[in-house]
């Protein structure tokens, strides 16, 4: 159902952003929105071996925790929680929140005030401009049973509106909370409320009131999912309402090979190359498709030298330059075999191409002029540069490091062999120029350093990722894509398991994992400002030619643009 999809997308987005190895004690709320969140948490605990203790807000939450195999804690044991995640009945623009539709508001509020961060997840219908616009059942107020008639009378006398005693649906008599108290629902006149903090104080001063369902100045973030699976984010009292992830329309019709943002802090545009022979231009601010141009064969890579031009190459062996302003293309030159990599070095103002003809060529970015050629030991699979250094990964797990100031040199600075045992998929350089990250088809990533000093080389390491267990069998997926966050130095990896992970390479830890995408991740790119991540999701024939063998519907090609936060990308 659409509402279930909305709740699930909001819950998973919140869990992906906030649950990691640094979180140990969390509060778990009640209600249908929390069910997918707890399931996702249980998956992460099992997969990543997280040491996590869950404190419930109700008996229902307690059973949910236990049924998912999570460790149970209590407020008696733990009075300081790293995080609390719960649903909501309504949240307004000022971050006021109504909770307690399920009758758990007192324990929910206790858990929330004990948490360093209180996160709300809900479907988009729970957000409103003012409290009462959507939620018509009133403010839940927990009261002592002996005082409920007195309290009801005083609320109506002091604040107006109508107060009703919440009755059970399957047996006669008032609903009892987990603390054996009654619940009054105050149906207020929203036009007469200007300050919810004052209202909350007045309610709590009335004799007999135990707690209200008004949560004022408590929420850190609120996630709202819609029926399409997109998530909107409301951040603290800044009153910022943005879409955290969108899916671009008119995607390529075959496998997506690369995505790149326009450079120089002008990340309005995104280009994507594809096996369908196209290079497409999108306006990510407007979420619109702008233009396309074609090659005579599949395009394997592309890049932006500036916001108005692109370079691209592929199986037709041609390197093309295209000017989006004039819609004119220029043939820059050829390789003897397919062009696998097209890369722009802003420091050197040159375009670099790597080919299956076992060569790298350097091109003037302004005119059709090949500036030099380097011979490699085998087919080029991947390359990247930082400053004056170029790193090239070829077949047979070979890695060559070249000096871009000496592009006609017949030999590289250094030849290396990958520390990973299987075929290299992607290489990306650290923004601080100290080294590079390399991934393989065997679900591993290696962190390498340029400096040959033995003490520096001792710091290199490799780790497993993009793996899953199913019935005791470990499934291992290629790590196809790597992208660095230039400001924070962290990096994202994308695998054929259709997941994106964020890593803190310096501290050797995973920061978060995003939700699962429709198909494997084939390319990733951060915007220059670091606030957006482009994610290409395409079938990469991990399961062979018979697409029915794949676990998901992988027939579609999708490009997602995710607005990322410091919580997702900054080292902890």
């Amino acid at each position: 159902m659409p509402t279930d999809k909305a709740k699930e997308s909001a819950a998973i987005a919140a869990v992906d952003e906030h649950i990691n190895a640094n979180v140990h004690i969390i509060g778990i709320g009640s209600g249908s929105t929390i069910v997918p969140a707890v399931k996702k948490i249980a998956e992460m605990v099992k997969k990543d071996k997280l040491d996590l203790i869950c404190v419930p807000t109700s008996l229902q939450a307690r059973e949910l925790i236990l049924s998912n195999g999570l460790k149970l804690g209590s407020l008696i044991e733990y009075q300081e929680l790293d995080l609390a995640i719960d649903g909501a009945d309504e949240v307004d623009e000022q971050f006021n929140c109504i909770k307690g539709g399920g009758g758990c508001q007192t324990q929910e509020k206790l858990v929330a005030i004990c948490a360093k961060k209180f996160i709300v997840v809900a479907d988009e219908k729970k957000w409103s401009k003012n409290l009462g616009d959507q939620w018509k059942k009133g403010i839940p107020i927990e009261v002592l049973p002996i005082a409920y008639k007195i309290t009801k009378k005083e609320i109506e006398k002091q604040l107006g509106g109508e107060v009703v005693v919440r009755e059970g649906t399957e047996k006669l008599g008032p609903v009892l909370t987990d603390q054996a108290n009654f619940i009054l629902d105050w149906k207020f006149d929203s036009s007469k409320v200007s300050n919810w903090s004052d209202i909350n104080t007045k309610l709590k001063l009335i004799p007999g009131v135990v707690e209200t369902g008004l949560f004022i100045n408590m929420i850190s973030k609120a996630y709202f999912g819609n029926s399409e699976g997109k998530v909107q984010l409301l951040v603290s009292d800044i009153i910022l309402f943005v879409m955290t992830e969108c899916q671009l329309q008119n995607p390529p019709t075959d496998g997506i090979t690369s995505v790149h943002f326009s450079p120089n802090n002008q990340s309005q545009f995104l280009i994507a190359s594809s096996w369908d022979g196209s290079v497409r231009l999108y306006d990510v601010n407007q979420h619109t498709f702008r233009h396309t141009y074609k090659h005579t064969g599949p395009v394997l890579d592309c890049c932006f030298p500036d916001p108005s031009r692109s370079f691209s190459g592929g199986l037709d062996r041609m390197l093309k330059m295209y000017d989006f302003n004039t819609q004119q293309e220029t043939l820059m030159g050829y390789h003897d075999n397919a062009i696998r990599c097209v890369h722009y070095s802003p420091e050197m103002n040159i375009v670099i191409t790597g080919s299956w003809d076992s060569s790298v060529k350097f091109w003037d970015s302004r005119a059709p002029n090949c500036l030099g050629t380097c011979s490699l030991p085998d087919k080029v699979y991947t390359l990247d540069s930082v400053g004056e250094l170029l790193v090239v990964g070829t077949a047979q797990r070979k890695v060559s490091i070249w000096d871009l100031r000496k592009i006609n040199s017949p030999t590289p600075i250094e030849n290396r062999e990958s520390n990973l045992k299987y075929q290299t998929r992607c290489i990306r350089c650290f923004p601080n120029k100290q080294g590079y990250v390399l991934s393989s088809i065997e679900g591993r990533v290696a962190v390498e350093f340029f400096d040959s000093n033995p003490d520096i080389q001792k710091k290199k390491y490799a780790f497993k990722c993009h793996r899953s267990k199913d019935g005791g069998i470990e499934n291992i997926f290629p790590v196809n894509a790597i992208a660095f966050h230039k400001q924070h130095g962290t990096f994202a990896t994308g695998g054929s398991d259709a997941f994106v992970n964020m890593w803190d390479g310096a501290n050797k830890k995973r920061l978060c994992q995003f939700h699962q995408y429709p198909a494997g991740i084939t390319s990733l790119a951060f915007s220059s400002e670091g606030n957006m991540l482009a994610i290409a999701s395409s079938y990469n024939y991990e399961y062979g030619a018979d697409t029915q063998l794949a676990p998901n519907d992988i027939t579609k090609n999708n490009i997602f643009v995710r607005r990322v936060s410091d919580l997702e990308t900054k080292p902890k």
Side-chain angles (χ1 to χ4, degrees):
M1 294 176 64
T3 302
D4 293 338
K5 179 68 173 177
K7 292 177 180 179
E8 181 181 6
S9 59
I12 290 176
V15 171
D16 282 341
E17 179 169 346
H18 295 284
I19 301 299
N20 54 59
N22 296 317
V23 176
H24 301 292
I25 307 172
I26 64 172
I28 297 293
S30 312
S32 59
T33 311
I34 300 303
V35 174
V38 173
K39 288 182 179 179
K40 177 66 175 177
I41 291 169
E43 291 174 5
M44 295 177 69
V45 168
K46 184 178 180 181
K47 182 179 179 181
D48 300 329
K49 296 180 173 58
L50 300 180
D51 181 18
L52 203 62
I53 296 170
C54 300
V55 176
T57 63
S58 65
L59 290 173
Q60 180 195 36
R62 181 182 186 276
E63 293 305 311
L64 184 61
I65 291 166
L66 292 174
S67 65
N68 280 274
L70 296 168
K71 293 181 183 178
L72 182 68
S74 71
L75 290 176
I76 295 174
E77 301 169 278
Y78 306 101
Q79 295 84 51
E80 185 172 316
L81 315 180
D82 296 310
L83 173 75
I85 182 168
D86 207 342
D89 298 314
E90 188 174 29
V91 180
D92 74 6
E93 282 188 344
Q94 304 302 318
F95 246 60
N96 303 308
C97 175
I98 297 176
K99 289 179 55 57
C104 309
Q105 66 274 4
T106 298
Q107 197 165 330
E108 287 173 339
K109 192 172 284 190
L110 285 170
V111 169
I113 65 169
C114 290
K116 296 176 184 176
K117 291 184 291 187
F118 177 46
I119 307 301
V120 163
V121 293
D123 68 82
E124 63 180 352
K125 295 178 182 178
K126 300 296 179 67
W127 179 82
S128 65
K129 185 174 181 62
N130 301 295
L131 291 186
D133 289 351
Q134 301 287 346
W135 182 252
K136 303 298 184 182
K137 297 180 181 180
I139 307 293
I141 303 166
E142 186 165 348
V143 299
L144 296 174
I146 195 174
Y148 83 93
K149 287 189 176 181
I150 301 170
T151 306
K152 175 182 183 299
K153 183 179 178 181
E154 282 299 311
I155 294 173
E156 292 175 340
K157 177 182 176 181
Q158 294 185 31
L159 300 174
E162 179 188 7
V163 178
V164 297
V165 181
R166 190 179 300 181
E167 298 284 343
T169 56
E170 295 186 2
K171 76 173 192 176
L172 297 176
V175 169
L176 293 180
T177 69
D178 288 352
Q179 289 74 41
N181 292 317
F182 289 3
I183 298 175
L184 303 180
D185 289 306
W186 173 46
K187 298 182 180 180
F188 56 90
D189 184 350
S190 59
S191 66
K192 296 181 180 179
V193 177
S194 59
N195 190 317
W196 280 110
S197 181
D198 288 346
I199 294 293
N200 190 51
T201 300
K202 289 177 180 179
L203 285 170
K204 294 182 73 170
L205 288 174
I206 295 174
V209 171
V210 176
E211 189 53 84
T212 78
L214 282 169
F215 284 56
I216 310 297
N217 298 325
M218 298 182 70
I219 302 173
S220 301
K221 282 189 176 183
Y223 296 77
F224 300 94
N226 65 20
S227 59
E228 297 177 355
K230 297 177 182 177
V231 179
Q232 295 175 309
L233 174 64
L234 190 61
V235 182
S236 192
D237 56 358
I238 302 172
I239 316 175
L240 174 64
F241 197 58
V242 298
M243 185 179 294
T244 59
E245 189 171 282
C246 71
Q247 184 175 342
L248 297 181
Q249 300 302 308
N250 199 1
T253 58
D254 204 343
I256 303 165
T257 54
S258 67
V259 288
H260 295 277
F261 279 102
S262 50
N264 305 325
N265 295 324
Q266 298 178 29
S267 303
Q268 179 181 358
F269 299 109
L270 183 84
I271 52 172
S273 58
S274 169
W275 279 88
D276 68 7
S278 74
V279 177
R280 295 171 184 246
L281 176 71
Y282 299 90
D283 185 326
V284 294
N285 291 342
Q286 301 297 322
H287 312 302
T288 56
F289 168 74
R290 293 287 295 269
H291 191 65
T292 186
Y293 69 92
K294 302 284 287 187
H295 279 247
T296 58
V299 186
L300 301 184
D301 203 2
C302 59
C303 70
F304 266 122
D306 55 58
S308 63
R309 296 182 301 148
S310 70
F311 286 82
S312 54
L315 293 190
D316 61 6
R317 304 181 294 112
M318 300 178 183
L319 176 65
K320 283 188 178 182
M321 178 181 71
Y322 192 87
D323 189 316
F324 289 108
N325 288 336
T326 63
Q327 298 186 9
Q328 297 295 315
E329 68 177 48
T330 302
L331 177 60
M332 303 294 288
Y334 291 89
H335 272 267
D336 293 333
N337 205 330
I339 297 174
R340 176 61 189 88
C341 306
V342 181
H343 172 75
Y344 175 68
S345 167
E347 295 89 350
M348 301 297 166
N349 194 25
I350 57 174
V351 176
I352 306 165
T353 54
S355 171
W356 291 349
D357 66 9
S358 304
S359 76
V360 168
K361 291 188 177 184
F362 307 96
W363 308 84
D364 188 331
S365 67
R366 299 160 297 181
N369 181 22
C370 182
L371 303 173
T373 303
C374 293
S375 295
L376 278 299
D378 216 317
K379 291 181 178 179
V380 176
Y381 287 162
T382 181
L383 61 79
D384 194 26
S385 72
V386 60
E388 71 279 3
L389 295 176
L390 170 69
V391 185
V392 183
T394 69
Q396 307 302 319
R397 302 170 37 251
K398 302 297 183 184
V399 178
S400 300
I401 303 173
W402 298 79
D403 188 337
L404 289 176
R405 296 168 298 184
K406 304 173 183 178
I407 57 178
N408 289 304
S409 173
T411 58
I413 298 173
E414 186 179 355
N415 284 314
R416 295 183 179 182
E417 189 171 278
S418 168
N419 283 331
L420 305 182
K421 294 181 180 180
Y422 295 90
Q423 183 187 100
T424 301
R425 265 291 163 88
C426 188
I427 289 176
R428 292 294 181 263
C429 296
F430 273 96
N432 62 11
K433 305 181 182 181
Q434 292 183 4
Y436 58 91
V437 174
L438 178 149
S439 68
S440 77
I441 62 170
E442 186 242 350
R444 287 181 186 266
V445 168
V447 177
E448 301 278 350
F449 296 92
F450 292 129
D451 194 332
S452 59
N453 184 302
D455 290 335
I456 299 297
Q457 288 299 308
K458 287 179 182 178
K459 296 180 180 180
K460 66 183 181 182
Y461 65 95
F463 60 91
K464 298 177 182 179
C465 56
H466 296 283
R467 299 174 176 217
S468 64
K469 285 190 177 181
D470 184 11
I473 299 174
E474 185 174 42
N475 298 310
I476 300 171
F477 298 90
V479 184
N480 304 316
I482 304 169
F484 270 96
H485 192 286
K486 293 181 180 179
Q487 287 77 14
H488 299 325
T490 54
F491 61 91
T493 59
S496 292
D497 58 349
F499 282 103
V500 175
N501 294 328
M502 279 300 308
W503 304 93
D504 178 358
N507 295 307
K508 301 181 181 180
K509 65 174 66 173
R510 189 174 77 171
L511 298 173
C512 65
Q513 181 182 74
F514 301 159
H515 63 86
Q516 191 170 27
Y517 289 87
I521 308 304
T522 55
S523 183
L524 296 169
F526 276 106
S527 62
S528 297
E529 303 90 336
N531 62 342
M532 290 185 287
L533 177 65
I535 302 163
S537 174
S538 272
Y539 185 47
N540 211 25
Y541 289 85
E542 299 89 347
Y543 297 91
D546 186 356
T547 57
Q548 292 184 351
L549 296 175
N552 302 311
D553 177 15
I554 44 70
T555 58
K556 295 180 180 179
N557 303 286
N558 300 286
I559 301 173
F560 300 89
V561 176
R562 182 184 181 98
R563 291 192 176 274
V564 291
S565 66
D566 282 352
L567 287 172
E568 294 171 310
T569 60
K570 192 174 183 179
K572 302 285 193 299

